[in-house]
Amino acid sequence: MKVKLVSNILDANTAMAAENRRRFQQEKIFVLNLMSAPGAGKTSILEKTIARLKDRVSMAVIEGDICTTKDAERIAALGVEAVQINTDGACHLDANMMASALANLELNSLDLLVVENVGNLVCPAEFDLGEDLKAMVLSVTEGNDKPFKYPLMFRESKAILVNKIDLLPYTEFDVEALRRDLAEINPGAEVFLVSARTGEGIEAWASWLERKVKEKKDF
Ligand code: MG
Ligand code: ZN
């Protein structure tokens, strides 16, 4: 019998991600993979997004963290089903972890599944989970020089949420410079200026996301 060798971790991940994607297609669930550095505001943006969408689309959240269930508890407090994955040290989610988390969800009742990845600007962008869309959060306190430093994540993300926009006057963050850099790295990206704290810009982002969810549902 011929032996098949899966030559590296990323090949194995791609195969598992394809299997996840097939399930999401079958159940017509739109899956968002939300990424950022630690502290950029993924969970806070998610809380505000849930407040806008939870009565309009049936949704659940998978929370990826190295340890603790803190973020899943914040989501569950809003009445949305949340599954926490603890990676025990791994700095990203992979398609296998995703598949295990799916066993805890009623997939056929869902329209939208949001995966909050581990806070890290590097390898989360390398591991396909089977999602429909990758989005990322860049907070203004991190600086506008990040796209060229972490090009893969900025290239892979269809939506880029610039968070903490309420703090803009207290930083050197240059929104126009960011737009210029993104025009080079990822010209098709949708850019949303938001503040999870004040709620500014959340409506535009949530409506955009809702349209994506409905497009898949009706397809
Ligand atoms: Mg979080
Ligand atoms: Zn990693």
Side-chain angles (χ1 to χ4, degrees), residues 90-92 120 123-124 127:
C91 46
H92 59 269
N120 175 354
C123 38
F127 286 80

Side-chain angles (χ1 to χ4, degrees), residues 42-43 63 65 71 74 116:
K42 294 182 296 305
T43 314
E63 281 291 342
D65 280 292
D71 285 359
R74 285 170 64 181
E116 182 184 333

Side-chain angles (χ1 to χ4, degrees), residues 82-106:
V83 177
Q84 181 82 51
I85 300 175
N86 280 156
T87 62
D88 287 324
C91 46
H92 59 269
L93 294 179
D94 65 30
N96 238 330
M97 297 177 198
M98 178 80 168
S100 328
L102 294 181
N104 298 291
L105 291 167
E106 251 344 300

Side-chain angles (χ1 to χ4, degrees), residues 98-163:
M98 178 80 168
S100 328
L102 294 181
N104 298 291
L105 291 167
E106 251 344 300
L107 291 186
N108 59 16
S109 68
L110 290 180
D111 304 322
L112 170 62
L113 177 59
V114 181
V115 185
E116 182 184 333
N117 217 311
V118 179
N120 175 354
L121 284 177
V122 188
C123 38
E126 293 171 24
F127 286 80
D128 185 5
L129 306 178
E131 73 279 321
D132 293 278
L133 184 105
K134 289 186 173 77
M136 69 167 295
V137 182
L138 173 69
S139 60
V140 300
T141 48
E142 294 167 71
N144 60 268
D145 59 347
K146 295 299 174 285
F148 280 111
K149 288 186 171 181
Y150 303 95
L152 183 65
M153 185 165 292
F154 283 88
R155 201 178 299 126
E156 289 276 314
S157 298
K158 296 265 186 306
I160 295 165
L161 292 95
V162 182
N163 190 30

Side-chain angles (χ1 to χ4, degrees), residues 23 75 88 94 115 135 182 201 203 209 216 218:
R23 288 185 72 186
I75 302 303
D88 287 324
D94 65 30
V115 185
L182 290 178
E203 172 80 68
L209 180 59
K216 182 161 186 180
D218 298 339

